[in-house]
Amino acid sequence: MSPALTTDKADRAEAAAAGAAGPSDSSGAVRINHVHKAFGRPGAAQPVLDDISLDVRPGEFVCILGASGCGKSTLLNLIADLDRPTAGTIEVPGGRPALMFQEHALFPWLTAGKNIELALRLRGVPRADRRPEAERLLELVRLGGAYGKRVHELSGGMRQRVALARALAQDSSVLLMDEPFAALDAITRDVLHGELTRIWSETGVSVLFVTHNVREAVRLAERVVLLSSRPGRVVREWAVDIPQPRRIEDAAVADLSIEITEELRGEIRRHGRH
Amino acid sequence: MAGTETTGESPKTTTAVTKPDGTTEEPEKPGKPGNPGQPGKQAGQDLAGLEAGLDALDAVQIRRTSPAEVLVQKVLPPVVAVALILVLWKVLVWAKVTDDYKLPDPKLVWDALEQLWLRGELFDIVWTSVSRGLFGFLIALAIATPLGLIVARVKIVRAGIGPILSGLQSLPSVAWVAPAVIWLGLNEKMMYAVILLGAVPSIANGLVAGIDQVPPLFLRAGRTLGARGLVSARHILLPAALPGYVAGLKQGWAFSWRSLMAAEIIAKSPELGVGLGQYLENQRNNSDMPGVLLGIIMILFVGIAIELLVFAPIERRVLRSRGLLASAR
């Protein structure tokens, strides 16, 4: 045993104890360590997230499930660095994660293609490479002909696919999704579930998907994490080992959904008692 | 194979299904159960076809209006309205509701215009005012844009001069003519000062309102894409605020023109040359009622023409590109 190795090990142990492992640590795409978040003035602060610890492995698809007030969106904002935790640490070794919202959030003054090119430009992609890359991403979401389309000329499902392409344009190893399909009709949502599963397996991106729809979570995820409400805590986790491609109507999806829904309802009932 | 398929010609066992998007789907081959690659591919093709169908059904149809429709819906109504006003005017003259010197025949007003044209003064009078108005407007634009940006984004500046800026909008710019003459004398400078005092608050307020109405979601989306500070202002904030800014420009032009006319009517000096305002005032002094009415009509006409030729197309373009125009739905 060389002395150099010992020091290295000791350093790592120290870093891990402090909850601040360096980016060299490749064991997680997202590492959330004992995160607390409260809003309001100190003293009268309302806790929103309470001691959340969660790791997303590289290439993993995790769904965060919870009723209103579980702090799902707050958690995504913290991971996306749009807000800071009150306590605890969040590491995203692969750099700034991409974020997709419930609303498409496409810029209406740009075409579909230019929306994607703006993301590429802000990432530092040279001008000459932007157009081909934007067209490749549109092909990926099966919207090859939509480059010159304005946002208002696209349907709701098409807008979310362009938004997905724009998020992928950030070339981030982590994709955060904040109820991206909640506002879509059931048929379109079903199709986009299929598309997301396909794109996830093609790109190998890690996905952290927030939803209040249990079946959606079971349809998509490798792992479902249930959060309690007010404040948000991790209640339970389920590994979903139903093989893909799944369908939302599959019996196995339904069975697990029933089990998770029961647990979720129990969590919600707890709030009626006091 | 796509497009050539006709039932009966091709053998039934190898019929390929041609889908609307042009992809050809091979039928499932019997006797090959449990092929691991096949179900996924099949599902993927199903999905692509389904998606193409959905996109076709959901596609938003943008209907462009034809020139004939534009003529009937946009050009005809104002022409008819003007014709009706002329007819009403003529009828009132015929009916002799009032004295001739108060309400002259429209023909006399037309004659006054003809005289101006024949004397070669018409173009000079109009151009004197229009060039002043547009030049003053451009200076106002250059001052008001940075001012509006600072007021919108810097809290303390907003608290300080925001209310003054909106208050100035309600102050009639005629009020500025007297002090402007005393400070600057009877010259072009004084004209521009009055235009600026009218137009700058209006344009700046338009920009502030435009920035205030930018949905926070756009700024959040911009931040997740990596746009902060000036980069965010350039790529997100300013383009998002453009509709409000353009509305402010339109109003700014109206204020420029009104202020200029007030200044021209009140301030008279041989140095200043004759613009539309001075022409109106001169005709009043000559008790030339057809000339007075002609002056008013020309001031109105120029205001409308600039709005229609310059600002309306800009506004339409901005709104249409964002799907904010009713005709684009």
Side-chain angles (χ1 to χ4, degrees):
Chain A
M1 194 185 272
S2 75
L5 191 65
T6 336
T7 345
D8 188 30
K9 258 192 179 167
D11 276 357
R12 264 199 210 165
E14 232 175 67
S24 56
D25 193 328
S26 60
S27 64
V30 180
R31 299 162 61 83
I32 304 168
N33 300 308
H34 304 288
V35 161
H36 293 258
K37 177 68 187 177
F39 287 112
R41 279 176 291 118
Q46 287 285 321
V48 177
L49 294 172
D50 183 25
D51 196 21
I52 303 273
S53 289
L54 178 69
D55 284 4
V56 180
R57 291 190 305 275
E60 194 182 14
F61 198 131
V62 177
C63 271
I64 295 182
L65 191 64
S68 307
C70 72
K72 296 172 289 197
S73 300
T74 306
L75 183 60
L76 286 196
N77 280 345
L78 294 178
I79 301 169
D81 201 23
L82 294 175
D83 203 351
R84 304 216 167 275
T86 313
T89 59
I90 295 178
E91 293 153 45
V92 187
R96 190 178 49 236
L99 176 57
M100 228 183 116
F101 306 91
Q102 180 174 336
E103 306 86 1
H104 55 80
L106 295 172
F107 303 128
W109 57 91
L110 298 173
T111 60
K114 291 286 176 195
N115 261 284
I116 298 169
E117 283 184 25
L118 178 59
L120 295 170
R121 178 179 183 161
L122 292 171
R123 194 184 102 202
V125 174
R127 178 187 290 268
D129 302 343
R130 285 181 212 146
R131 170 120 203 199
E133 178 64 3
E135 279 173 348
R136 188 189 67 81
L137 287 163
L138 281 171
E139 287 291 342
L140 183 66
V141 296
R142 292 206 244 250
L143 278 173
Y147 181 90
K149 285 263 163 63
R150 292 278 173 179
V151 176
H152 67 270
E153 296 174 272
L154 304 171
S155 70
M158 291 159 99
R159 286 174 198 179
Q160 282 303 29
R161 273 144 70 203
V162 176
L164 177 59
R166 188 177 73 176
L168 293 171
Q170 284 182 253
D171 199 28
S172 172
S173 56
V174 179
L175 176 58
L176 307 174
M177 306 183 87
D178 190 356
E179 303 190 37
F181 307 142
L184 300 176
D185 65 272
I187 299 171
T188 306
R189 193 186 309 141
D190 206 29
V191 169
L192 288 194
H193 285 159
E195 286 296 3
L196 179 59
T197 309
R198 176 180 65 83
I199 288 164
W200 164 66
S201 61
E202 276 177 21
T203 58
V205 68
S206 319
V207 181
L208 191 59
F209 188 107
V210 156
T211 181
H212 56 251
N213 183 332
V214 179
R215 281 203 170 205
E216 177 170 75
V218 177
R219 158 74 182 80
L220 291 169
E222 293 179 288
R223 188 149 60 100
V224 176
V225 178
L226 178 63
L227 290 190
S228 63
S229 295
R230 280 196 205 117
R233 281 193 198 100
V234 175
V235 177
R236 222 182 124 180
E237 283 192 23
W238 288 265
V240 187
D241 36 19
I242 307 162
Q244 292 279 11
R246 300 167 196 159
R247 294 180 62 122
I248 206 152
E249 303 87 356
D250 286 344
V253 171
D255 288 346
L256 184 54
S257 297
I258 290 168
E259 184 189 328
I260 296 177
T261 304
E262 273 315 308
E263 188 91 24
L264 176 63
R265 286 183 177 173
E267 270 307 310
I268 295 170
R269 263 184 224 114
R270 245 175 9 91
H271 287 272
R273 286 194 210 119
H274 46 121
Chain B
M1 182 155 240
T4 59
E5 189 209 29
T6 41
T7 36
E9 263 182 59
S10 51
K12 263 179 191 163
T13 42
T14 57
T15 309
V17 184
T18 307
K19 297 199 291 179
D21 58 4
T23 57
T24 312
E25 199 179 358
E26 291 297 331
E28 234 175 323
K29 290 200 179 86
K32 263 193 170 184
N35 183 347
Q38 208 53 18
K41 205 180 161 196
Q42 186 76 35
Q45 282 183 350
D46 279 353
L47 199 59
L50 184 59
E51 203 158 19
L54 271 180
D55 289 352
L57 288 175
D58 288 344
V60 181
Q61 296 295 326
I62 305 290
R63 205 175 59 91
R64 280 284 184 143
T65 42
S66 70
E69 277 176 313
V70 171
L71 197 71
V72 172
Q73 290 170 4
K74 297 273 165 66
V75 179
L76 210 56
V79 169
V80 170
V82 170
L84 280 177
I85 291 169
L86 285 175
V87 168
L88 183 69
W89 182 356
K90 193 79 189 171
V91 167
L92 290 177
V93 172
W94 270 332
K96 291 199 190 307
V97 285
T98 181
D99 302 319
D100 278 353
Y101 73 93
K102 285 186 186 162
L103 188 70
D105 194 291
K107 178 74 175 62
L108 294 175
V109 177
W110 179 257
D111 290 344
L113 180 68
E114 219 172 64
Q115 270 174 32
L116 271 188
W117 172 256
L118 292 175
R119 275 188 272 146
E121 287 172 13
L122 181 64
F123 184 75
D124 278 349
I125 291 176
V126 173
W127 180 243
T128 302
S129 290
V130 169
S131 60
R132 266 182 202 150
L134 286 181
F135 188 57
F137 172 77
L138 289 178
I139 305 173
L141 189 67
I143 296 172
T145 305
L147 182 67
L149 264 179
I150 292 168
V151 171
R153 297 307 281 178
V154 184
K155 269 191 191 132
I156 186 127
V157 177
R158 179 178 208 142
I161 65 171
I164 301 174
L165 214 54
S166 16
L168 276 178
Q169 257 192 303
S170 56
L171 182 75
S173 31
V174 200
W176 290 112
V177 176
V181 170
I182 293 167
W183 291 331
L184 299 165
L186 274 171
N187 50 34
E188 295 280 335
K189 267 194 249 167
M190 160 258 155
M191 294 275 179
Y192 289 122
V194 176
I195 292 177
L196 292 186
L197 285 162
V200 167
S202 162
I203 298 173
N205 276 319
L207 185 54
V208 172
I211 289 174
D212 285 351
Q213 284 164 19
V214 172
L217 181 67
F218 287 157
L219 301 177
R220 272 181 78 204
R223 277 182 71 189
T224 62
L225 294 176
R228 276 159 210 242
L230 279 179
V231 177
S232 172
R234 185 182 155 205
H235 290 292
I236 319 272
L237 193 66
L238 284 180
L242 198 58
Y245 182 53
V246 170
L249 292 188
K250 232 169 90 169
Q251 211 191 8
W253 162 251
F255 272 69
S256 296
W257 188 240
R258 268 200 266 179
S259 314
L260 176 64
M261 288 307 108
E264 284 190 353
I265 289 172
I266 296 175
K268 259 180 63 177
S269 154
E271 262 181 71
L272 286 171
V274 181
L276 284 168
Q278 284 103 338
Y279 172 78
L280 174 59
E281 180 62 7
N282 290 343
Q283 302 321 106
R284 187 189 69 83
N285 285 336
N286 300 339
S287 303
D288 172 14
M289 193 57 187
V292 170
L293 286 176
L294 177 63
I296 291 173
I297 290 169
M298 284 195 299
I299 291 171
L300 196 63
F301 180 80
V302 169
I304 294 173
I306 301 273
E307 148 111 39
L308 283 183
L309 294 176
V310 179
F311 294 99
I314 297 176
E315 190 173 41
R316 236 192 344 262
R317 236 192 104 177
V318 167
L319 295 184
R320 176 171 290 146
S321 71
R322 288 154 206 244
L324 293 171
L325 214 61
S327 69
R329 287 215 178 115

